[in-house]
Amino acid sequence: MIKGGHKKSVAAAALAVFCAAGTVQAAQCGNGPGGFEAWKRDFAEEARANGVSANAVAALMTTTYNTATISADRGQKSFRLSLDQFLAKRGGSTIVSRGRALKRTHAALFASIEDRYGVPPGPLLAIWGMETGFGAVRGNQNTLSAVATLAYDCRRSAFFTDQLYAALKLVDRGIITASTRGSMHGELGHTQFLPKAILNYGTGGSLENSSVALTSTANFLKGHGWRAGAGYQPGEANFAALQAWNAASVYQRALALLGRQIDGE
């Protein structure tokens, strides 16, 4: 979830976090590894002032600057491809064929999800296939280090500061630990939820379980305005929910097209 351009950062929320810290100096972002340890100490002080537990702060202090995350964040060139080029690069035909097979073998699960959330199998399978190859590639980066690195990095500091506070809440709740591993930007599970999305739309259980991940994804789409029975192609009512999933236009259009091909078999 949320690669490429990402969702718009909630700058106001991040500002509120900083303001709540009173006289504590807000941690200053940086553009290289040199300032990360000092930023981490400042952020830990800020986090304590905002009521973050000692356990979560201790987990934060184990983080290290992740150069692989920064490289991935700077190198997302596929989002500038045409739709046809993007689908070829991502294996669109394979996603459709595998998605159709999974729709049949997991028919009861998808029927239950659609009954509860109004989301048909196609978009969910398109997301699952696009994000992790149906669970095959879920990442091996330290989650807290990835999110902390991006919170420190000036490019999208406000957005990822919000995500880091969410991640620390997940530590408090025992949902993730200092050793949890996921994708380059801190995404987790079969459909790649960022920490704040887990807090807001996770339906319970581990996102490493495909059924939980698919149910949570349907809950995310419903939470972003999905209406049962409405179309999800560009210009149709539910396309906005796909736009909320990822800010890159080519990614949105790919999800809509793949979902239609899976649903239309």
Side-chain angles (χ1 to χ4, degrees), residues 43-234:
F43 193 93
E45 182 179 356
E46 177 187 309
R48 291 187 193 98
N50 280 288
V52 174
S53 74
N55 179 56
V57 170
L60 170 68
M61 295 307 292
T62 69
T63 61
T64 57
Y65 186 85
N66 192 323
T67 54
T69 285
I70 294 298
S71 295
D73 192 58
R74 302 293 193 268
Q76 300 176 84
K77 297 178 181 178
S78 66
F79 294 107
R80 296 195 288 271
L81 298 174
S82 70
L83 179 58
D84 287 343
Q85 291 171 328
F86 183 76
L87 287 169
K89 185 177 181 65
R90 292 299 187 103
S93 60
T94 300
I95 290 173
V96 171
S97 62
R98 180 91 189 278
R100 287 173 174 173
L102 287 166
K103 186 174 73 167
R104 291 190 291 271
T105 57
H106 294 71
L109 171 64
F110 286 111
S112 173
I113 291 173
E114 186 166 9
D115 183 61
R116 181 170 182 181
Y117 298 101
V119 183
L124 298 176
L125 286 158
I127 288 170
W128 190 14
M130 188 82 78
E131 292 288 351
T132 65
F134 302 103
V137 183
R138 283 174 268 170
N140 194 33
Q141 301 297 314
N142 181 278
T143 297
L144 281 179
S145 288
V147 178
T149 296
L150 291 167
Y152 159 72
D153 186 62
C154 287
R155 192 168 91 86
R156 290 187 286 176
S157 181
F159 179 89
F160 279 100
T161 293
D162 219 19
Q163 296 295 333
L164 182 54
Y165 271 100
L168 295 176
K169 287 184 181 179
L170 294 177
V171 171
D172 263 346
R173 296 180 186 183
I175 296 172
I176 67 172
T177 70
S179 60
T180 295
R181 305 188 81 79
S183 290
M184 288 294 185
H185 292 77
E187 309 96 329
L188 291 168
H190 279 260
T191 56
Q192 301 287 274
F193 269 49
L194 282 170
K196 192 170 181 181
I198 296 174
L199 285 177
N200 291 340
Y201 302 105
T203 56
S206 172
L207 293 170
E208 302 304 320
N209 177 297
S210 59
S211 297
V212 172
L214 291 166
T215 302
S216 299
T217 303
N219 191 39
F220 175 97
L221 294 175
K222 184 177 180 180
H224 286 83
W226 191 281
R227 299 205 319 263
Y232 55 85
Q233 298 307 300

Side-chain angles (χ1 to χ4, degrees), residues 15-29:
L15 180 60
V17 167
F18 292 138
C19 291
T23 59
V24 175
Q25 179 70 34
Q28 298 299 303
C29 69

